[in-house]
């Protein structure tokens, strides 16, 4: 049981750590975001860190469940895909917020969406709850895609 708690803390540390590093890399960019022309339903800047913290926490629990549910190639492939999407996720806010590259960020986000959908499918083969824990992330990415596209089109 103690080993399960340690591995959960490690999984959460990895997930939240990626989010934290991404936040550090984009620190001070919300002012620029606030002055952009926004599509309808755009949330205020403070919503992003709140939502992302929750999503990264869910990602950590989900990956932890996969780690403990099985072993072998299926688990390895699922967790490699998880790691790849974390890396792609890390880069998106840098493209969007730090660099203001709204077009490339949109296409990068489409890649992330595809990776997350594939990851959910792989996770579902191993643990349905782990897959379900990723659904809010997928939905938020769809919403982020709408916002990204809207900002790109409105601020050309």
């Amino acid at each position: 049981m103690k080993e399960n708690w340690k591995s959960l803390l490690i999984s959460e540390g990895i997930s939240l750590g990626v989010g934290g590093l991404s936040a550090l890399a984009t620190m001070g960019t919300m002012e620029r975001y606030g002055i952009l022309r926004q599509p309808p339903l755009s949330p205020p800047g403070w919503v992003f860190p709140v939502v992302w913290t929750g999503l990264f926490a869910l990602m950590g629990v989900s990956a932890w469940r996969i780690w403990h549910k099985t072993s072998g190639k299926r688990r390895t492939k699922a967790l490699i895909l998880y790691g790849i999407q974390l890396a792609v996720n890390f880069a998106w806010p840098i493209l969007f917020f730090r660099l203001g590259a709204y077009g490339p960020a949109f296409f990068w986000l489409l890649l992330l969406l595809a990776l997350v959908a594939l990851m959910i499918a792989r996770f579902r083969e191993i643990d349905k709850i782990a897959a379900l824990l990723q659904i809010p992330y997928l939905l938020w990415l769809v919403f982020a895609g709408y916002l990204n596209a809207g900002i790109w089109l409105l601020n050309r």
Side-chain angles (χ1 to χ4, degrees), residues 29-133:
T29 60
M30 278 297 148
E31 187 175 300
R32 180 177 4 152
Y33 171 79
I35 62 173
L36 292 170
R37 292 180 41 205
Q38 307 274 333
L41 306 176
S42 294
W46 66 264
V47 169
F48 294 101
V50 172
V51 170
W52 276 111
T53 299
L55 294 174
F56 278 113
L58 288 175
M59 283 185 236
V61 171
S62 180
W64 172 77
R65 288 184 63 88
I66 296 301
W67 178 261
H68 282 283
K69 198 71 168 188
T70 189
S71 62
K73 287 184 180 182
R74 281 186 354 154
R75 177 178 80 180
T76 300
K77 286 179 181 179
L79 291 176
I80 286 172
L81 190 53
Y82 172 74
I84 292 169
Q85 72 79 29
L86 272 179
V88 171
N89 180 307
F90 173 80
W92 179 83
I94 295 169
L95 283 170
F96 185 87
F97 290 107
R98 173 65 54 200
L99 301 177
Y102 307 123
F106 175 73
F107 292 105
W108 194 257
L109 189 60
L110 293 179
L111 170 64
L112 179 57
L113 265 165
L115 288 169
V116 170
L118 183 57
M119 178 189 66
I120 289 171
R122 288 276 168 89
F123 277 22
R124 189 174 186 281
E125 294 171 359
I126 297 168
D127 180 43
K128 289 180 184 177
I129 293 173
L132 289 172
L133 289 171

